[in-house]
């Protein structure tokens, strides 16, 4: 992503956007963690550690629009639709505040449900 200011250009890699989005999502209640974008192995979603948050986020561009896909594992007993909505809102807000980037869509893919400790 490129941004032009009066002082020059700023280049922000998609990997940076993915890390920021993953970190923002992890602050949401009801989220156990990020899941791998890869296909499920034996029907069990792979839970990623905090150092691999970007692996659970896919950044897509179509022209000037930016779309994020987040692959998550939610906590058992929480309302999945509410957790997903909170993730979408938080990620959009954080990217707007930190990067000054307007995200067109945040798609949340729930890969699994786990009992959180």
């Amino acid at each position: 992503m490129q941004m032009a200011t009066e002082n020059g250009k700023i280049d922000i890699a998609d990997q940076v956007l993915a890390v920021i989005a993953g970190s923002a999502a992890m602050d949401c209640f009801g989220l156990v963690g990020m899941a791998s974008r890869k296909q499920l192995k034996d029907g069990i979603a792979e839970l990623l550690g905090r150092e691999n948050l970007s692996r659970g986020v896919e950044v897509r561009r179509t022209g000037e629009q930016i779309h994020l896909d987040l692959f998550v594992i939610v906590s058992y007993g929480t309302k999945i639709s509410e957790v997903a909505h909170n993730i979408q809102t938080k990620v959009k807000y954080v990217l707007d505040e930190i990067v000054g980037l307007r995200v067109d869509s945040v798609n949340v893919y729930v890969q699994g449900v786990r009992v959180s400790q």
Side-chain angles (χ1 to χ4, degrees), residues 33-41 43-49 52 55-56 71-73 111-112 114:
M34 302 300 288
S36 176
R37 290 182 295 216
K38 305 294 183 221
Q39 203 64 328
L40 297 177
K41 296 177 185 175
I44 299 172
E46 178 189 354
L47 184 64
L48 301 175
N52 294 324
R55 284 183 44 211
F71 299 85
V72 300
I73 298 173
Q111 300 284 25
R114 299 260 170 98

Side-chain angles (χ1 to χ4, degrees), residues 12 33 57 84-85 97 112 117:
I12 301 173
V57 180
H85 181 265
E97 287 296 310
Q117 280 83 7

Side-chain angles (χ1 to χ4, degrees), residues 26 30-34 47 73-76 113-117:
M26 287 300 295
L31 186 67
V32 174
M34 302 300 288
L47 184 64
I73 298 173
V74 297
S75 177
Y76 177 79
V113 177
R114 299 260 170 98
V115 176
S116 60
Q117 280 83 7

Side-chain angles (χ1 to χ4, degrees), residues 6-75:
E6 63 274 357
N7 297 327
K9 287 185 187 176
I10 301 170
D11 287 322
I12 301 173
D14 287 349
Q15 182 78 9
V16 173
L17 298 177
V19 169
I20 293 170
S23 296
M26 287 300 295
D27 288 341
C28 293
F29 175 78
L31 186 67
V32 174
M34 302 300 288
S36 176
R37 290 182 295 216
K38 305 294 183 221
Q39 203 64 328
L40 297 177
K41 296 177 185 175
D42 301 325
I44 299 172
E46 178 189 354
L47 184 64
L48 301 175
R50 280 208 170 263
E51 65 279 353
N52 294 324
L53 291 178
S54 64
R55 284 183 44 211
V57 180
E58 185 176 326
V59 179
R60 293 181 293 115
R61 298 169 191 265
T62 53
E64 291 294 313
Q65 296 182 332
I66 296 179
H67 307 280
L68 297 176
D69 296 332
L70 280 78
F71 299 85
V72 300
I73 298 173
V74 297
S75 177

